[in-house]
Amino acid sequence: MLRHFVFGLLSFVFLCAPAHAVEKYVAAADCYWPPMELTDSNKQPTGYSPDFLKALAKAVGIEIEVRNVAWDGIFGGVATGQYDIVSSSVTITEERKKQFDFSDPYFEVVQAVLLPAGKHINSLKDLKGMKVGGQIATTGIFVVRKADVGAELKEYDDVGLAIEDLLKGRIDAVICDDPVALYYVNKKADTAGKLNISFKTQEKEYYGFVVKKGRKDLLEKLNKGIRLLKESGEERKIAEKWLGN
Ligand code: ARG
């Protein structure tokens, strides 16, 4: 009896303390933002940011597991410690910086406005009187709201649903980050050719990884990784893979 107990205890200690203990972190991504975050045929997270994080983790000698988490509420989970990082194409904004810490910027975007193929407008002002869809609580929605041009906003749980409604004629336009717009226009089988990017906004946005306030150790690792991937050229390779040149 005691012998079994001691043996069990010993193997437990061995199994839990491998020779090369690597620090492990969990990142949350809303995988409905292609090609930045999406799922593969096995429903596993894939895309630009999972690849970027994988390379980053390798470069700084840590492990990062990416989990698919719904956008609505994704920030809450980092606050309560369910995961360490939000890696979900999150634009660094002053509002969000009040509540969370951000890594250095790792990707630049602008907002793109999608219309059905053949239809055109030139600026935010032209959205007046139009029904405009986007993902709930994203910067695209914020930009239209702030412009205050008299558009009617419709917020969706994910941008794919907004685009579906656009193609069914239930709304008039969709606003989202430009690489995502480009993906629906050119690459996604069931929407390619049916949409066009009518115009893009001027103001640049930058993605950062989100961590709970005060996690300096983790932020330093992320920032070091971002720098290393730039220097090594790996960032460029990942961009070529997911975004074309
Ligand atoms: N960049 C935009 C924002 O921060 C949209 C991000 C949405 N990301 C996603 N994976 N659904 O508000």
Side-chain angles (χ1 to χ4, degrees):
M1 197 50 194
L2 183 68
R3 201 154 39 99
H4 280 129
F5 176 73
V6 171
F7 181 74
L9 193 71
L10 278 178
S11 36
F12 180 76
V13 168
F14 268 101
L15 287 173
C16 290
H20 312 282
V22 182
E23 280 174 277
K24 286 190 185 169
Y25 298 95
V26 178
D30 168 43
C31 297
Y32 294 93
W33 201 246
M36 308 313 288
E37 299 94 32
L38 62 159
T39 50
D40 63 18
S41 49
N42 299 316
K43 303 241 190 304
Q44 295 308 304
T46 185
Y48 182 95
S49 351
D51 273 8
F52 190 94
L53 271 189
K54 203 184 293 162
L56 181 156
K58 202 170 167 207
V60 300
I62 58 176
E63 262 176 46
I64 302 177
E65 176 204 324
V66 180
R67 260 182 225 163
N68 190 4
V69 173
W71 174 254
D72 199 16
I74 203 167
F75 295 102
V78 92
T80 57
Q82 276 174 276
Y83 31 81
D84 307 288
I85 305 161
V86 179
S87 162
S88 199
S89 300
V90 181
T91 300
I92 304 170
T93 70
E94 289 308 315
E95 273 309 296
R96 290 171 178 163
K97 265 166 48 180
K98 286 182 195 158
Q99 297 192 56
F100 301 96
D101 282 346
F102 277 92
S103 72
D104 292 338
Y106 69 89
F107 198 83
E108 181 188 300
V109 297
V110 292
Q111 292 302 314
V113 173
L114 289 166
L115 259 63
K119 293 196 177 167
H120 293 285
I121 56 169
N122 298 312
S123 70
L124 289 172
K125 282 204 184 93
D126 296 340
L127 292 174
K128 185 177 171 156
M130 290 175 93
K131 285 191 186 132
V132 184
Q135 185 175 33
I136 187 166
T138 55
T139 43
I141 295 285
F142 302 156
V143 163
V144 176
R145 190 169 289 143
K146 196 173 148 208
D148 195 21
V149 293
E152 186 189 323
L153 278 170
K154 272 200 83 178
E155 300 188 50
Y156 296 81
D157 283 335
D158 79 67
V159 72
L161 298 173
I163 287 171
E164 227 179 278
D165 264 8
L166 178 65
L167 292 175
K168 284 186 180 146
R170 294 194 185 126
I171 57 174
D172 306 299
V174 168
I175 188 161
C176 61
D177 297 352
D178 64 314
V180 177
L182 213 57
Y183 184 89
Y184 280 97
V185 168
N186 292 326
K187 295 213 176 123
K188 193 159 190 302
D190 54 335
T191 59
K194 298 180 181 167
L195 303 159
N196 80 91
I197 294 182
S198 203
F199 71 92
K200 291 182 187 179
T201 59
Q202 299 291 314
E203 208 168 316
K204 295 188 166 85
E205 299 182 10
Y206 297 91
Y207 292 171
F209 299 114
V210 180
V211 302
K212 192 173 172 172
K213 267 201 184 294
R215 294 203 64 181
K216 246 187 122 194
D217 55 318
L218 178 53
L219 268 189
E220 272 163 18
K221 292 189 175 94
L222 292 171
N223 289 340
K224 182 175 167 197
I226 292 169
R227 198 170 21 114
L228 290 175
L229 295 191
K230 261 197 207 341
E231 288 165 7
S232 67
E234 275 175 282
E235 176 184 50
R236 195 173 37 80
K237 279 190 205 145
I238 297 168
E240 271 164 20
K241 174 175 171 192
W242 290 103
L243 308 159
N245 302 312

